[in-house]
Amino acid sequence: MSDRVYPPVIAAAKLMFRVLDCRINVVGAHHIPREGGAVLASNHVSYLDFIFAGFGAQPAKRLVRFMAKQEVFANRYAGPLMRGMHHIPVDRSAGLASYREALAALRSGEVVGIFPEATISRSFTVKELKSGANRLAASAGVPLIPVALWGTQRLWTKGRPRTLTRRHVPVTILIGEPLHPQPRDKHDAINDELHRRMQELLDQAQQEYPEKPKDDELWWQPAHLGGTAPTPEEAAALDASGRGD
């Protein structure tokens, strides 16, 4: 498909990264095929994750078509950009149309990006996954590639003020070995394996991250590593109540 909007947006993002001296470390980009369809399944800790997950595909010279909620496309500023980059709107009350659009993109050789947790994880652990990513990969006969992002939550995450001009923030993008789900596979089993791999990648990213939070920044560290982020149980309660958005 024609891409007149996506390349300039990427160029602008790279310029922003340079200006802010954003120290991005991409590991495992060779797992993304240089041609043919693939599903990228990434964890979700920031409103900016689609930018960085897409950046992880740059070494393979791929443009990622992300599935995003319909409300983003309705925004007067973000909407034209999202449509221009051929991202895929998801109407949660009528998800079949977006599924078919994503499937058609995969079968035509595109890379589709999905955040299978559906919403940002306040606990900074991998939440329960929706099954759409593995179902799409199985139906299209394409690899399912786990991705872990870390550091993006320091720029803008749920329940915290935006700090988009903060400089020198390290961002880690880990791309794991692909799964190859088949139509006859049990979706629950594939989902469990995808969750395990995503959590392993995230654990690695957190353990190898080059900075530790200061005493007044413990909010961006998960509870099991000594931070003050909500535990998964506390995060689930916050999500259910709608507090902290």
Side-chain angles (χ1 to χ4, degrees):
M1 61 181 67
S2 176
D3 277 296
R4 297 181 179 180
V5 176
Y6 217 143
V9 170
I10 291 173
K14 289 180 176 179
L15 176 61
M16 179 188 73
F17 296 155
R18 287 196 296 270
V19 169
L20 297 179
D21 189 28
C22 192
R23 294 175 284 160
I24 304 175
N25 183 31
V26 181
V27 179
H30 61 281
H31 292 305
I32 299 178
R34 289 186 170 266
E35 58 183 22
V39 174
L40 297 188
S42 175
N43 72 312
H44 201 8
V45 293
S46 167
Y47 292 108
L48 304 176
D49 284 341
F50 75 97
I51 297 175
F52 290 96
F55 186 85
Q58 283 294 290
K61 302 185 184 303
R62 303 303 302 272
L63 300 177
V64 183
R65 316 298 178 181
F66 284 97
M67 300 186 75
K69 60 184 181 180
Q70 179 66 45
E71 291 84 345
V72 179
F73 289 80
N75 183 279
R76 62 183 298 186
Y77 302 110
L81 288 176
M82 296 293 284
R83 288 187 288 273
M85 290 185 281
H86 305 295
H87 295 315
I88 300 168
V90 178
D91 183 346
R92 291 176 181 172
S93 64
L96 184 58
S98 58
Y99 181 91
R100 288 174 173 168
E101 184 175 349
L103 186 59
L106 290 168
R107 286 175 171 167
S108 69
E110 297 282 354
V111 178
V112 172
I114 299 177
F115 298 104
E117 296 168 280
T119 58
I120 288 174
S121 171
R122 302 174 192 256
S123 68
F124 305 139
T125 61
V126 180
K127 299 167 57 175
E128 182 179 351
L129 306 183
K130 307 295 184 183
S131 64
N134 76 70
R135 290 176 183 272
L136 279 168
S139 296
V142 302
L144 174 61
I145 304 172
V147 178
L149 305 174
W150 189 243
T152 60
Q153 78 281 8
R154 299 177 64 186
L155 298 171
W156 189 14
T157 192
K158 185 174 286 189
R160 301 292 305 185
R162 285 175 289 184
T163 54
L164 301 180
T165 58
R166 181 167 186 165
R167 306 189 70 223
H168 316 304
V169 174
V171 171
T172 301
I173 305 169
L174 297 187
I175 301 164
E177 293 185 8
L179 291 81
H180 297 277
Q182 303 299 313
R184 293 185 179 181
D185 290 342
K186 293 183 178 179
H187 293 300
D188 288 348
I190 297 297
N191 238 29
D192 289 345
E193 178 62 15
L194 177 61
H195 187 282
R196 184 186 69 80
R197 294 196 189 190
M198 289 173 63
Q199 187 61 61
E200 284 185 352
L201 289 171
L202 182 57
D203 288 341
Q204 179 184 341
Q206 291 169 341
Q207 291 164 8
E208 297 177 355
Y209 193 66
E211 291 187 3
K212 301 299 180 185
K214 299 176 182 178
D215 289 344
D216 60 346
E217 293 185 330
L218 289 172
W219 62 266
W220 60 260
Q221 191 81 314
H224 71 273
L225 293 179
T228 58
T231 65
E233 295 76 18
E234 292 168 340
L238 285 170
D239 286 341
S241 69
R243 290 182 288 121
D245 290 333

